[in-house]
């Protein structure tokens, strides 16, 4: 999403500057030499504090600190080695996940919260063998055949195209999440920010409608 937004921003007729960053739902920082470890603010924290203008968050509602517009819904996929039987087909039944060793993000990562909630609601226990905070590390372990992971198709699609990973959409029941375009209410209104928000909205909808971003565009009536 970030790189596609930058591509849209540099089209002819578009002027100005924007700081765009891709962040995990929660960033960790540690200093072994100093003997401490801690957490850096999440994107939601930065919106609340007025240190970020716009962010894409998942499964959130608007608050007094930021607005939330959910333009699209993503379905999560099981990710594994490209020649693994579990990910050879386009879909995999949720009940099949019980016997598969998984590497997932730790709590309180938003993706893990979603998976734990889904697991409880569906009555399907997930066999979590390892926990890693970096999505790239999750997919690297899956690509090496050590275990499987669960992420969005968009997160893995470059590795899938390169033949290093395979994914199968989880069904019966699916695991879905709302992608929400959020704007901080802690910063004063600004025409430039409004223009970037419009650009981000249009880019997200275009990527989803063209299939570049594997997501289902939500109609305005359902938002």
């Amino acid at each position: 999403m970030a790189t596609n937004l930058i591509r849209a921003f540099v089209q002819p007729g578009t002027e100005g500057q924007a700081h765009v960053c891709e962040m995990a739902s929660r960033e960790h920082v540690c200093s072994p030499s100093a003997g401490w470890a801690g957490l850096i603010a999440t994107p939601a924290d930065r919106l609340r504090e007025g240190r970020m203008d716009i962010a894409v968050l998942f499964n959130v509602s608007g608050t007094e600190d930021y607005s939330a517009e959910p333009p699209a819904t993503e379905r999560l996929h099981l990710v594994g080695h490209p020649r693994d039987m579990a990910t050879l087909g386009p879909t995999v039944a949720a009940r099949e996940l019980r016997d598969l060793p998984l590497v997932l993000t730790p709590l309180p990562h938003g993706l893990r919260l979603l998976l734990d909630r889904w697991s409880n609601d569906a009555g399907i226990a997930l066999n979590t063998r390892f926990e890693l905070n970096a999505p790239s590390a999750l997919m690297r372990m899956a690509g090496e055949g050590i275990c499987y992971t669960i992420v969005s198709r968009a997160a893995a699609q470059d590795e899938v195209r390169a033949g290093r990973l395979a994914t199968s959409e989880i069904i019966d029941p699916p695991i879905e999440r709302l992608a929400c375009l959020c704007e901080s209410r802690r910063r004063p209104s600004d025409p430039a920010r409004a223009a970037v928000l419009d650009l981000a909205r249009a880019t997200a909808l275009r990527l989803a409608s063209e299939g570049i971003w594997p997501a289902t565009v939500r109609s305005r009536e359902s938002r």
Side-chain angles (χ1 to χ4, degrees):
M1 178 66 179
T3 53
N4 282 288
L5 180 58
I6 290 172
R7 291 189 188 105
F9 194 78
V10 298
Q11 292 299 309
T14 305
E15 297 181 357
Q17 295 181 331
H19 176 72
V20 181
C21 64
E22 287 190 326
M23 299 172 59
S25 64
R26 186 171 293 271
E27 291 186 318
H28 290 255
V29 61
C30 62
S31 176
S33 60
W36 62 271
L39 295 175
I40 299 176
T42 67
D45 292 334
R46 295 182 181 212
L47 287 174
R48 280 192 290 268
E49 296 165 3
R51 295 192 289 126
M52 180 177 284
D53 292 296
I54 300 165
V56 176
L57 305 178
F58 294 95
N59 291 345
V60 299
S61 300
T63 71
E64 63 180 10
D65 298 310
Y66 57 82
S67 62
E69 174 189 340
T73 302
E74 285 186 319
R75 287 193 168 188
L76 301 190
H77 286 230
L78 179 70
V79 181
H81 189 275
R83 292 187 295 277
D84 193 284
M85 292 297 295
T87 51
L88 282 181
T91 62
V92 59
R95 64 180 180 275
E96 303 296 331
L97 302 183
R98 290 190 177 99
D99 300 322
L100 301 179
L102 297 171
V103 56
L104 302 177
T105 52
L107 292 170
H109 194 286
L111 179 58
R112 181 61 179 273
L113 289 169
L114 170 64
L115 292 174
D116 284 359
R117 195 160 47 239
W118 173 88
S119 173
N120 183 65
D121 292 344
I124 296 173
L126 298 177
N127 179 19
T128 306
R129 297 286 303 280
F130 306 100
E131 293 183 337
L132 286 169
N133 195 56
S136 59
L138 300 180
M139 291 185 285
R140 186 164 58 249
M141 290 185 68
E144 292 175 6
I146 297 172
C147 50
Y148 304 83
T149 193
I150 298 173
V151 297
S152 68
R153 167 77 181 188
Q157 63 185 354
D158 288 344
E159 297 295 302
V160 171
R161 290 194 191 105
R164 291 188 287 267
L165 289 175
T167 74
S168 297
E169 182 182 315
I170 299 165
I171 61 171
D172 300 328
I175 308 176
E176 296 182 327
R177 66 179 184 178
L178 287 178
C180 302
L181 188 59
C182 303
E183 179 183 13
S184 176
R185 288 176 168 148
R186 295 301 182 188
R187 297 173 70 93
S189 298
D190 180 89
R193 186 176 70 177
V196 172
L197 184 65
D198 287 343
L199 184 61
R201 183 185 298 112
T203 300
L205 295 179
R206 178 181 61 79
L207 293 174
S209 62
E210 293 178 0
I212 299 171
W213 176 26
T216 301
V217 176
R218 292 165 57 84
S219 66
R220 289 190 176 275
E221 290 75 17
S222 64
R223 295 179 195 173

